[in-house]
Amino acid sequence: MNKRFLTLFAFILLLTLCADAYSQKRNSRYVEYVNRYSELAVEQMREHRIPASITLAQGLLESGAGMSELARKSNNHFGIKCGSSWNGRTVSHDDDARGECFRAYRNPKDSYEDHSAFLKRGARYAFLFELDLTDYKGWARGLKKAGYATDPSYANRLITIIEDYELYKYDRRSGRAPKPEPTLMNPHQVYIANDIAYVIARDGDTFKGLGKEFDISWKKLVKYNDLHRDYTLTDGDIIYLKEKKKKASKPNTVYIVKDGDSMHTISQMYGIRLKNLYKMNRKDGEYVPEIGDRLRLR
């Protein structure tokens, strides 16, 4: 056996060992799930322009590769809660709170189709459809910013799954882009502040109307924005679609009070919970900020 043959043999053996090690790294349940649902994810991508890699990664993560109680008993692969617009079957399940209402489906296909419809109808996710179908990182980070999940590492977890299982390869099977579907008349533009999705209220807006548009309980919108249920929304009000944070983002450390500012408007401007803004500055509810006051934001 000559030296050249030995070198080639060693190289092939090394490749084989690396392949074996890589395959062992993969969770067999994840591989089985991808094999089972990849075509369905591609079908949804072609119809709705949601990357198949994102759909598969969310399905894997939210359903525990199809092994979660919600997936096994209710065919809910994406952890979608009932919401005010849901009229189908429901099931009670403990999540962020005990006994929360979740959607239940006849089969996994219905769950996949509703997941696509959920993202397409949700105005807070509208900006995602401007991204390229192969931009799975942008989609993952956008889903987190829009409030799909409360887990702070949600985007990174999706990206890791996509890359570990090479799910991005399914995004290349998009085929011809479908014609745009009719969308909500004059929907609200979604913005991001402090990594939280928000909209700007218009004249005539109500909490119930915004809740219906974004499929969020109107009572939660009231709570998220440190308001009361009888508050009348006015043109220009910042309305957050998920709970604000305890402090502002890093570049924003101090704010100098200007004419017309209140503790509430400042908390809305920077996406900070009102009680935390008071606490950081050692103020109580009686405090009224004056022009020139310096307030800590983090």
Side-chain angles (χ1 to χ4, degrees):
M1 192 177 291
N2 60 42
K3 185 177 180 181
R4 184 177 180 182
F5 182 81
L6 284 172
T7 302
L8 180 60
F9 178 77
F11 179 70
I12 293 173
L13 179 61
L14 179 61
L15 287 178
T16 303
L17 290 174
C18 288
D20 287 343
Y22 185 64
S23 64
Q24 289 173 8
K25 176 186 174 183
R26 293 186 169 190
N27 185 316
S28 60
R29 285 182 178 174
Y30 274 45
V31 173
E32 181 181 346
Y33 186 95
V34 172
N35 290 338
R36 185 172 183 179
Y37 295 111
S38 59
E39 287 302 319
L40 185 53
V42 169
E43 178 185 319
Q44 294 300 306
M45 175 176 63
R46 288 174 175 166
E47 185 175 353
H48 300 290
R49 291 195 59 78
I50 300 167
S53 61
I54 287 293
T55 299
L56 285 170
Q58 284 196 280
L60 283 163
L61 187 56
E62 298 288 348
S63 76
M67 298 302 293
S68 70
E69 183 178 354
L70 268 178
R72 288 185 290 105
K73 295 184 178 180
S74 307
N75 291 308
N76 188 330
H77 283 238
F78 298 94
I80 299 179
K81 297 179 182 179
C82 295
S84 59
S85 63
W86 180 247
N87 296 316
R89 293 174 53 230
T90 65
V91 63
S92 179
H93 182 75
D94 294 344
D95 189 53
D96 294 329
R98 291 179 60 86
E100 291 192 272
C101 182
F102 283 83
R103 302 181 183 188
Y105 308 95
R106 294 174 302 171
N107 50 56
K109 182 177 181 181
D110 285 351
S111 178
Y112 269 70
E113 290 178 347
D114 188 51
H115 170 260
S116 297
F118 179 78
L119 294 182
K120 289 292 289 282
R121 286 195 309 264
R124 58 177 161 161
Y125 301 113
F127 69 97
L128 291 171
F129 292 88
E130 298 175 7
L131 300 176
D132 193 276
L133 273 176
T134 58
D135 186 8
Y136 62 86
K137 291 183 179 179
W139 269 83
R141 291 164 183 155
L143 284 168
K144 173 63 184 72
K145 285 185 177 181
Y148 190 97
T150 56
D151 179 0
S153 63
Y154 189 74
N156 289 335
R157 293 177 72 184
L158 289 180
I159 292 169
T160 298
I161 291 172
I162 290 170
E163 294 180 346
D164 283 352
Y165 293 87
E166 299 180 342
L167 303 183
Y168 46 75
K169 65 186 179 184
Y170 296 105
D171 297 339
R172 301 169 191 152
R173 297 164 56 182
S174 58
R176 181 179 294 180
K179 294 180 180 179
E181 295 180 4
T183 55
L184 189 69
M185 291 295 291
N186 197 24
H188 289 76
Q189 173 67 48
V190 178
Y191 304 94
I192 301 293
N194 204 7
D195 274 341
I196 314 167
Y198 73 91
V199 296
I200 303 296
R202 306 167 184 152
D203 282 331
D205 278 343
T206 64
F207 287 118
K208 290 185 178 179
L210 289 175
K212 186 175 182 180
E213 179 178 342
F214 293 98
D215 200 22
I216 301 173
S217 162
W218 68 270
K219 292 181 180 178
K220 285 187 177 181
L221 288 179
V222 173
K223 181 180 178 182
Y224 293 162
N225 291 278
D226 296 307
L227 295 168
H228 55 84
R229 59 188 302 160
D230 295 322
Y231 177 81
T232 301
L233 292 173
T234 59
D235 186 46
D237 280 346
I238 294 174
I239 301 298
Y240 287 94
L241 304 179
K242 58 180 294 191
E243 190 172 26
K244 293 181 289 183
K245 297 190 176 182
K246 295 180 179 180
K247 56 186 178 182
S249 54
K250 284 186 178 180
N252 305 298
T253 55
V254 175
Y255 180 76
I256 307 300
V257 176
K258 299 180 178 62
D259 185 30
D261 285 335
S262 68
M263 290 296 275
H264 183 264
T265 60
I266 296 168
S267 75
Q268 292 296 95
M269 193 184 311
Y270 291 97
I272 310 170
R273 298 173 200 169
L274 185 57
K275 66 179 181 181
N276 289 98
L277 184 60
Y278 276 112
K279 185 176 181 180
M280 274 190 289
N281 291 280
R282 299 180 179 178
K283 306 291 185 183
D284 58 28
E286 300 298 318
Y287 167 72
V288 177
E290 297 183 358
I291 297 174
D293 284 355
R294 293 171 61 88
L295 294 176
R296 291 182 56 195
L297 301 177
R298 54 177 295 110

